[in-house]
Tab-separated table of all heavy atoms in Angstrom:
chain	number	residue	atom	x	y	z
A	1	SER	N	0.762	-1.286	-0.021
A	1	SER	CA	0.074	0.036	-0.033
A	1	SER	C	0.816	1.209	0.067
A	1	SER	O	0.511	2.174	-0.569
A	1	SER	CB	-0.958	0.017	1.187
A	1	SER	OG	-1.906	-1.022	1.181
A	2	THR	N	1.889	1.218	0.701
A	2	THR	CA	2.942	2.294	0.782
A	2	THR	C	3.512	2.574	-0.613
A	2	THR	O	3.543	3.769	-1.117
A	2	THR	CB	4.086	2.100	1.677
A	2	THR	OG1	3.584	1.856	3.118
A	2	THR	CG2	5.060	3.213	1.619
A	3	ILE	N	3.836	1.440	-1.345
A	3	ILE	CA	4.459	1.684	-2.701
A	3	ILE	C	3.357	2.118	-3.638
A	3	ILE	O	3.561	3.025	-4.465
A	3	ILE	CB	5.006	0.254	-3.161
A	3	ILE	CG1	6.171	-0.149	-2.329
A	3	ILE	CG2	5.370	0.435	-4.687
A	3	ILE	CD1	7.327	0.800	-2.285
A	4	CYS	N	2.139	1.599	-3.565
A	4	CYS	CA	0.815	2.004	-4.387
A	4	CYS	C	0.718	3.479	-4.204
A	4	CYS	O	0.733	4.309	-5.226
A	4	CYS	CB	-0.216	1.188	-4.105
A	4	CYS	SG	-1.767	1.561	-4.991
A	5	LEU	N	0.671	4.020	-2.968
A	5	LEU	CA	0.331	5.460	-2.744
A	5	LEU	C	1.503	6.277	-3.253
A	5	LEU	O	1.242	7.285	-3.844
A	5	LEU	CB	0.115	5.656	-1.225
A	5	LEU	CG	-0.022	7.118	-0.800
A	5	LEU	CD1	-1.258	7.659	-1.344
A	5	LEU	CD2	0.132	7.269	0.648
A	6	SER	N	2.725	5.862	-2.832
A	6	SER	CA	3.892	6.725	-3.371
A	6	SER	C	4.045	6.763	-4.823
A	6	SER	O	4.300	7.782	-5.438
A	6	SER	CB	5.181	6.074	-2.798
A	6	SER	OG	5.095	6.076	-1.322
A	7	LEU	N	3.774	5.554	-5.516
A	7	LEU	CA	3.818	5.609	-6.952
A	7	LEU	C	2.716	6.355	-7.626
A	7	LEU	O	3.030	7.308	-8.501
A	7	LEU	CB	3.689	4.181	-7.414
A	7	LEU	CG	3.551	3.989	-9.007
A	7	LEU	CD1	4.669	4.521	-9.742
A	7	LEU	CD2	3.300	2.557	-9.345
A	8	GLY	N	1.423	6.333	-7.013
A	8	GLY	CA	0.412	7.287	-7.487
A	8	GLY	C	0.646	8.614	-7.299
A	8	GLY	O	0.443	9.433	-8.207
A	9	LYS	N	1.249	9.128	-6.241
A	9	LYS	CA	1.594	10.519	-5.977
A	9	LYS	C	2.609	10.990	-7.000
A	9	LYS	O	2.590	12.076	-7.575
A	9	LYS	CB	2.040	10.766	-4.525
A	9	LYS	CG	0.985	10.748	-3.493
A	9	LYS	CD	1.404	11.397	-2.261
A	9	LYS	CE	0.235	11.514	-1.245
A	9	LYS	NZ	0.536	12.408	-0.045
A	10	GLN	N	3.545	10.135	-7.244
A	10	GLN	CA	4.657	10.528	-8.084
A	10	GLN	C	4.253	10.668	-9.507
A	10	GLN	O	4.581	11.660	-10.201
A	10	GLN	CB	5.818	9.538	-8.112
A	10	GLN	CG	7.044	10.037	-8.777
A	10	GLN	CD	7.676	11.302	-8.321
A	10	GLN	OE1	8.087	11.372	-7.181
A	10	GLN	NE2	7.685	12.352	-9.079
A	11	LEU	N	3.316	9.669	-9.908
A	11	LEU	CA	2.833	9.784	-11.279
A	11	LEU	C	1.994	11.042	-11.421
A	11	LEU	O	2.032	11.715	-12.462
A	11	LEU	CB	1.907	8.566	-11.608
A	11	LEU	CG	2.624	7.288	-11.840
A	11	LEU	CD1	1.855	6.139	-11.931
A	11	LEU	CD2	3.565	7.296	-13.119
A	12	ALA	N	1.171	11.434	-10.401
A	12	ALA	CA	0.339	12.560	-10.347
A	12	ALA	C	1.228	13.865	-10.441
A	12	ALA	O	1.006	14.864	-11.224
A	12	ALA	CB	-0.592	12.667	-9.244
A	13	GLN	N	2.336	13.800	-9.675
A	13	GLN	CA	3.318	15.000	-9.727
A	13	GLN	C	4.071	15.124	-11.117
A	13	GLN	O	4.438	16.147	-11.424
A	13	GLN	CB	4.383	14.829	-8.613
A	13	GLN	CG	3.673	14.982	-7.240
A	13	GLN	CD	4.704	14.647	-6.154
A	13	GLN	OE1	5.783	14.216	-6.402
A	13	GLN	NE2	4.128	14.769	-4.871
A	14	ASN	N	4.020	13.992	-11.801
A	14	ASN	CA	4.516	13.941	-13.171
A	14	ASN	C	3.473	14.442	-14.135
A	14	ASN	O	3.663	14.186	-15.396
A	14	ASN	CB	5.165	12.724	-13.464
A	14	ASN	CG	6.360	12.371	-12.673
A	14	ASN	OD1	6.888	13.200	-12.006
A	14	ASN	ND2	6.841	11.091	-12.831
A	15	ARG	N	2.390	14.865	-13.707
A	15	ARG	CA	1.390	15.544	-14.629
A	15	ARG	C	0.433	14.493	-15.186
A	15	ARG	O	-0.083	14.608	-16.321
A	15	ARG	CB	1.924	16.375	-15.709
A	15	ARG	CG	2.623	17.639	-15.019
A	15	ARG	CD	3.142	18.618	-16.224
A	15	ARG	NE	3.747	19.821	-15.580
A	15	ARG	CZ	4.233	20.738	-16.240
A	15	ARG	NH1	4.150	20.737	-17.638
A	15	ARG	NH2	4.857	21.726	-15.699
A	16	ALA	N	0.365	13.326	-14.559
A	16	ALA	CA	-0.695	12.282	-15.086
A	16	ALA	C	-1.753	12.433	-14.139
A	16	ALA	O	-1.808	12.797	-13.020
A	16	ALA	CB	0.059	10.921	-14.941
A	17	LYS	N	-2.951	11.955	-14.579
A	17	LYS	CA	-4.254	11.950	-13.821
A	17	LYS	C	-4.367	10.495	-13.291
A	17	LYS	O	-4.532	9.554	-14.133
A	17	LYS	CB	-5.351	12.439	-14.723
A	17	LYS	CG	-6.615	12.611	-13.848
A	17	LYS	CD	-7.789	13.151	-14.709
A	17	LYS	CE	-9.013	13.282	-13.965
A	17	LYS	NZ	-10.248	13.768	-14.737
A	18	VAL	N	-4.377	10.265	-12.026
A	18	VAL	CA	-4.358	8.967	-11.357
A	18	VAL	C	-5.453	8.766	-10.482
A	18	VAL	O	-5.859	9.751	-9.688
A	18	VAL	CB	-3.061	8.824	-10.640
A	18	VAL	CG1	-2.770	7.459	-9.959
A	18	VAL	CG2	-1.720	9.158	-11.500
A	19	VAL	N	-5.973	7.571	-10.425
A	19	VAL	CA	-6.933	7.115	-9.507
A	19	VAL	C	-6.452	5.841	-8.794
A	19	VAL	O	-6.140	4.926	-9.593
A	19	VAL	CB	-8.363	6.996	-10.048
A	19	VAL	CG1	-8.484	6.067	-11.224
A	19	VAL	CG2	-9.346	6.741	-9.051
A	20	MET	N	-6.724	5.696	-7.511
A	20	MET	CA	-6.376	4.572	-6.806
A	20	MET	C	-7.497	3.737	-6.221
A	20	MET	O	-8.268	4.459	-5.461
A	20	MET	CB	-5.323	4.763	-5.786
A	20	MET	CG	-3.896	5.186	-6.334
A	20	MET	SD	-2.644	5.134	-4.962
A	20	MET	CE	-2.860	6.864	-4.337
A	21	LEU	N	-7.611	2.516	-6.451
A	21	LEU	CA	-8.735	1.714	-5.870
A	21	LEU	C	-8.202	0.761	-4.831
A	21	LEU	O	-7.244	0.027	-5.176
A	21	LEU	CB	-9.398	0.968	-6.940
A	21	LEU	CG	-10.519	1.733	-7.831
A	21	LEU	CD1	-9.849	2.614	-8.738
A	21	LEU	CD2	-11.242	0.614	-8.663
A	22	ASP	N	-8.761	0.802	-3.670
A	22	ASP	CA	-8.391	-0.037	-2.663
A	22	ASP	C	-9.428	-1.351	-2.841
A	22	ASP	O	-10.568	-1.193	-2.553
A	22	ASP	CB	-8.566	0.497	-1.179
A	22	ASP	CG	-8.002	-0.259	-0.152
A	22	ASP	OD1	-7.799	-1.556	-0.319
A	22	ASP	OD2	-7.666	0.295	0.981
A	23	VAL	N	-8.849	-2.472	-3.259
A	23	VAL	CA	-9.711	-3.625	-3.466
A	23	VAL	C	-9.737	-4.607	-2.310
A	23	VAL	O	-10.238	-5.747	-2.465
A	23	VAL	CB	-9.145	-4.293	-4.861
A	23	VAL	CG1	-10.146	-5.271	-5.353
A	23	VAL	CG2	-8.831	-3.290	-5.834
A	24	ASP	N	-9.193	-4.116	-1.255
A	24	ASP	CA	-9.034	-5.047	-0.075
A	24	ASP	C	-10.158	-4.834	0.809
A	24	ASP	O	-10.281	-4.145	1.827
A	24	ASP	CB	-7.771	-4.866	0.629
A	24	ASP	CG	-7.471	-6.026	1.657
A	24	ASP	OD1	-8.253	-6.848	1.833
A	24	ASP	OD2	-6.385	-5.861	2.275
A	25	VAL	N	-11.352	-5.369	0.403
A	25	VAL	CA	-12.596	-5.226	1.042
A	25	VAL	C	-12.666	-5.736	2.557
A	25	VAL	O	-12.259	-6.748	2.734
A	25	VAL	CB	-13.719	-6.007	0.295
A	25	VAL	CG1	-15.111	-5.634	0.991
A	25	VAL	CG2	-13.892	-5.491	-1.081
A	26	GLY	N	-12.912	-4.831	3.466
A	26	GLY	CA	-13.036	-5.135	4.795
A	26	GLY	C	-11.711	-4.996	5.548
A	26	GLY	O	-11.682	-4.720	6.867
A	27	LEU	N	-10.507	-5.204	4.869
A	27	LEU	CA	-9.236	-5.055	5.521
A	27	LEU	C	-8.524	-3.838	4.798
A	27	LEU	O	-7.293	-3.914	4.755
A	27	LEU	CB	-8.457	-6.267	5.334
A	27	LEU	CG	-9.105	-7.482	6.189
A	27	LEU	CD1	-8.265	-8.763	5.841
A	27	LEU	CD2	-9.114	-7.230	7.503
A	28	ASN	N	-9.229	-2.932	4.303
A	28	ASN	CA	-8.547	-1.886	3.507
A	28	ASN	C	-7.844	-0.850	4.479
A	28	ASN	O	-8.305	-0.654	5.652
A	28	ASN	CB	-9.661	-1.105	2.755
A	28	ASN	CG	-10.834	-0.739	3.586
A	28	ASN	OD1	-11.393	-1.587	4.187
A	28	ASN	ND2	-11.093	0.631	3.772
A	29	ASN	N	-6.716	-0.314	3.999
A	29	ASN	CA	-6.001	0.729	4.857
A	29	ASN	C	-5.397	1.779	3.845
A	29	ASN	O	-4.704	2.668	4.302
A	29	ASN	CB	-4.896	0.061	5.698
A	29	ASN	CG	-3.960	-0.739	4.820
A	29	ASN	OD1	-3.797	-0.498	3.668
A	29	ASN	ND2	-3.251	-1.693	5.420
């Protein structure tokens, strides 16, 4: 999850439009 978030933020900072889905139903963080 840390890598997912960090990658998403970096891609967004690189001017990409990014959406993240937490698919871990019930144990999401």
Side-chain angles (χ1 to χ4, degrees):
S1 294
T2 299
I3 298 300
C4 183
L5 174 66
S6 302
L7 174 61
K9 284 198 169 188
Q10 188 60 61
L11 289 170
Q13 289 169 1
N14 292 352
R15 299 185 178 181
K17 192 175 180 182
V18 182
V19 60
M20 287 192 277
L21 278 67
D22 193 339
V23 193
D24 196 354
V25 178
L27 298 174
N28 50 303
N29 57 22

